Each structure stands twice: as C-alpha cells, then as structure tokens.
Amino acid sequence: MTTVGLIRHGTTEWNLLGRMQGQLDTPLAEVGIKQAEALARRLKDESWDGIITSDLIRARQTADIIASELQIPIWAYEPRMRERSFGQIEGTTEQERIERWGDNWRQRELELGMEPDEQLLSRGLTVLEDAAVSYPGRRVLVVSHGGMIVPLLKKLTGETLSDFLKNTSLSVLQKTQIGWSPLLLNCTKHLDALE
C-alpha cells in the first residue's frame, strides 16, 4: 500500500502580509525556511522514499530542504499540485478585496476567476492516484499548498479539518483497496521548538 505524506509549503512573506498568492510564484520567508528545516529534522526519524512537489518556488524550496536532509530524490516537479488559481484575487490583501469588490467578495470568487473545486480536485486526485500506481508500497512525500491540500483531505477522508492548515503541516494518508485512509492530519509538532 502506498503511503502519501501531504505537506503544506513553509511560510512566505506574502503569507505574513495576508496577501493571496494563488499561482503567483513567491519564495519562502526566513521563517518558512526554518519551518521546513524543522520538518526535515522530524522526518529524518521516519522512512520516506521520494518527493513529488508543486512546481511553484515556495513548494520547491520546501521540498529541496527536506530532500537534502533526508537524502531522498525529488521524483517530480508537478504543476498539477499547484495552489488553486484565484484569478483576479491573486496578489491582493483582504482589505484590497473589500475595497474592490465589497464585503461579500467571497460570494463572487468564481466570477472573479477562482478555479472551481471540481477542476482543483481533479488535478490533485489524479496526482495521488498516479503516485499509488507509480510507487506501489512506497512512502511518498507530496509538497503542495493549503488551497489544494484542504479540499483533498476533505474529499478523501470525508472530514473537515478542525484547525487551519498550518505551514509545513504534515498529513499522512495510506492507499487501501477501498480508498485513502487518514493516519495523521495537520500535524505541526515539529514547529513547537520554533515557538
């Protein structure tokens, strides 16, 4: 059975500013690098075989840090694991969205170009199913984004996360004959030492 560890990338400057990144390519902030290093140290005590990562720089940097520490290969830079596209919303802060589109801007997300759930889930689920076929019985880390991971976890586990998906959080799923079984959700114990 294939095991997948879903990892949200480390914190970026835009995360700190509350600016919507979407598919815009923003690098890790210093704190994001430290988070990725802390996660890599934690994962060193586990057995992982390789990494598939979103091709956006914040995910690639997170994956590179983990791959270097664990001495495992990055198997793919995968555009299908990119963050959800947010259309016109990308690059804006909450205040800017309110100024441009009003307090109810969330009700206009699709009109403003946000990628629909069906399209997002289609690309994410395909990557996980491809990984299960390509790496049977292996343990695969997948570095992606909150806007991808949260809907994937909800779809695959039937559960809504009780907590915000934190940067460098780890969620582990195992492929079974009937689907994906959650082993760990949104775990950030590796960040305790940084706080």
Side-chain angles (χ1 to χ4, degrees):
M1 289 181 285
T2 304
T3 301
V4 169
L6 289 169
I7 295 169
R8 183 179 178 206
H9 63 79
T11 298
T12 68
E13 291 294 340
W14 277 26
N15 287 141
L16 297 172
L17 294 170
R19 196 168 287 282
M20 183 71 73
Q21 294 169 110
Q23 294 190 1
L24 296 177
D25 220 1
T26 55
L28 293 180
E30 188 61 36
V31 66
I33 292 169
K34 291 185 185 328
Q35 291 167 336
E37 290 168 346
L39 176 58
R41 287 190 296 274
R42 169 194 178 170
L43 293 173
K44 203 162 185 178
D45 294 335
E46 302 174 13
S47 176
W48 294 96
D49 298 307
I51 300 175
I52 297 169
T53 182
S54 156
D55 63 341
L56 295 177
I57 191 167
R58 56 195 183 269
R60 289 192 340 251
Q61 286 178 303
T62 303
D64 287 343
I65 290 166
I66 294 167
S68 177
E69 181 72 24
L70 274 58
Q71 295 296 293
I72 60 174
I74 294 179
W75 285 329
Y77 296 93
E78 180 55 75
R80 292 176 296 172
M81 288 309 293
R82 283 183 174 192
E83 177 60 281
R84 179 192 299 265
S85 172
F86 286 97
Q88 297 176 54
I89 298 168
E90 292 186 4
T92 64
T93 63
E94 176 78 13
Q95 185 58 41
E96 290 168 341
R97 291 189 287 278
I98 291 169
E99 288 168 6
R100 289 182 196 174
W101 302 295
D103 289 335
N104 297 326
W105 66 268
R106 281 188 176 81
Q107 295 169 356
R108 299 179 59 199
E109 287 177 326
L110 292 178
E111 174 190 332
L112 295 171
M114 185 179 86
E115 180 178 12
D117 283 349
E118 303 78 35
Q119 186 176 325
L120 175 82
L121 286 169
S122 174
R123 57 187 176 89
L125 290 169
T126 302
V127 171
L128 296 188
E129 293 301 326
D130 288 352
V133 170
S134 299
Y135 308 108
R138 308 292 290 276
R139 292 174 53 84
V140 184
L141 294 170
V142 178
V143 182
S144 189
H145 308 266
M148 171 63 82
I149 295 172
V150 170
L152 273 179
L153 290 175
K154 184 175 182 181
K155 177 75 172 173
L156 295 173
T157 69
E159 299 176 30
T160 301
L161 292 178
S162 59
D163 215 359
F164 178 75
L165 189 77
K166 299 180 179 99
N167 291 95
T168 69
S169 65
L170 174 66
S171 298
V172 180
L173 304 172
Q174 189 169 63
K175 178 71 170 168
T176 67
Q177 291 182 344
I178 58 169
W180 291 90
S181 176
L183 304 178
L184 184 69
L185 292 175
N186 196 20
C187 183
T188 56
K189 68 179 183 181
H190 51 280
L191 298 180
D192 293 348
L194 298 181
E195 294 175 357

